[in-house]
Amino acid sequence: MAESNCTQATEFSLTEFTDNLMTQVTLFLMFLVTILGNLGMIALIRASPQLHSPMYYFLGNLAFVDLCSSTIITPKMLVDFISEKKGITYAGCVAQVFIFDLFGMTECFLLATMAYDRYMAICHPLVYPLVMSPKCCFRLVTGSYLMGLTNGMGQTIGMSNLSFCGSSVIDLFFCDISPLISLSTSDTTLSHIILRTSASLFGVSSSLVVLVSYVAIISTILSISSAEGKRKAFSTCASHLTTVSIFYGTSLFMYLKPSSDSSRKEDKWTAVFYTVVTPMLNPLIYSLRNKEVKEALRR
C-alpha cells in the first residue's frame, strides 16, 4: 500500500566520475577520436572496393554500433563535467538504458559473428565464399541487431516495473540497469534474475561461439607446416581477437561479478573502459594491425 502511494522520481542525479581537469580533457579527446575513428572506418569501407568482403561488412557494422553506444553515454558525461546540476530525467534514463543495452548486446553478437567468419575463412576456405554469401552475412547482422533489440526491450520493460521512491542519486555517470535496480524501492528479485539471466544467456552464449571458433582456428593454424603460413593465418584474426578480449573481459566482469560497496570506484573505471575506451580502440586496432585497411588508407 505504501508502495502505491509513493511519489515516483521524475529525475535522477548522476555522480561525477572525476573532477580532475587532465582526466576530463583526456576523456574529451578520446571521445573525439572515437567519433572520427568510427566514422572514418565506415567511410573507408564503403569507399574502398577491396574492403567489400564479409569481414569488413561486419567491421563496418561494428563501427556503427560503437559510434551509437558511445554517443548515448559520453556526451552527457562530458556536459556534466562543466554543469553544476548533474541530472537526467526519467525518460532520458529509460532512453539510455534501452539504447545502451540494445547496442551493447548487438556488439556481443557481432563479435561472435566475426569469430565465425574467421573460423570459416581459416578452417574451411574452399566453402567460405558459398557459406558467407552476402545473403547469409545480412541475416547474421540482422540477427545480431534483433538480439540487441530483444535485450534492450527486456531491460527497459524491467526498469518500467521498478519504483523509485527513495534516493534518486545514481552512483554512476550514466543510467545503467544495475545501479537502477539497487536504487529501486520495490522488490528487485525478479529484476536481478532477468539481468543475470540476460547477461548469462546472451553474453556467455556469444562468448562461447567466440571461444569454440578460436579453439578450432588455433588448432588449424598449428597444423600448418610453414612458419609463413602460420603467421599469415594468425594475422587475419589477431585484430578481432584483441577486440574480443577487451570487450568481453570488461563486460562480463562488470555484469557477472558480485556487487559490493568497496568496488564502486572500480566499477566506474570499468564502465569508462567499455563505454569510452573500447569504442575508441576498435577502429585503431583494425587500422593499425590490418594490412588491407592500411593500404586502403594510403590509396
Side-chain angles (χ1 to χ4, degrees), residues 126-280:
L126 296 180
V127 296
Y128 176 77
L130 180 64
V131 175
M132 301 304 294
S133 63
K135 192 173 184 179
C136 178
C137 292
F138 175 78
R139 288 175 177 173
L140 288 171
V141 169
T142 302
S144 299
Y145 283 105
L146 288 177
M147 288 297 180
L149 181 62
T150 301
N151 182 62
M153 290 180 64
Q155 301 295 358
T156 306
I157 292 171
M159 179 183 169
S160 66
N161 292 327
L162 297 176
S163 298
F164 302 96
C165 307
S167 173
S168 60
V169 179
I170 300 174
D171 192 22
L172 199 62
F173 54 89
F174 70 100
C175 286
D176 194 18
I177 191 65
S178 295
L180 283 168
I181 291 174
S182 303
L183 197 64
S184 174
T185 55
S186 57
D187 183 8
T188 60
T189 303
L190 181 60
S191 297
H192 276 294
I193 292 174
I194 292 174
L195 177 62
R196 293 300 172 92
T197 302
S198 174
S200 300
L201 183 63
F202 292 139
V204 176
S205 63
S206 59
S207 63
L208 281 175
V209 172
V210 175
L211 180 61
V212 172
S213 296
Y214 273 101
V215 167
I217 287 171
I218 293 172
S219 176
T220 301
I221 291 175
L222 292 177
S223 66
I224 298 175
S225 57
S226 67
E228 177 63 21
K230 290 180 179 179
R231 186 200 62 78
K232 190 173 181 179
F234 184 75
S235 67
T236 63
C237 56
S239 299
H240 178 256
L241 189 58
T242 304
T243 301
V244 163
S245 301
I246 295 172
F247 179 82
Y248 279 106
T250 53
S251 300
L252 293 177
F253 172 80
M254 186 68 182
Y255 288 106
L256 294 183
K257 72 175 185 61
S259 59
S260 63
D261 293 338
S262 61
S263 64
R264 286 179 179 175
K265 187 65 177 177
E266 184 180 299
D267 289 349
K268 290 179 182 179
W269 276 106
T270 305
V272 166
F273 202 87
Y274 72 75
T275 58
V276 181
V277 179
T278 302
M280 178 198 70

Side-chain angles (χ1 to χ4, degrees), residues 104-123:
M105 194 56 67
T106 299
E107 183 156 355
C108 278
F109 281 92
L110 275 177
L111 290 173
T113 298
M114 293 171 75
Y116 175 72
D117 173 71
R118 293 299 82 206
Y119 161 75
M120 291 302 303
I122 294 173
C123 300

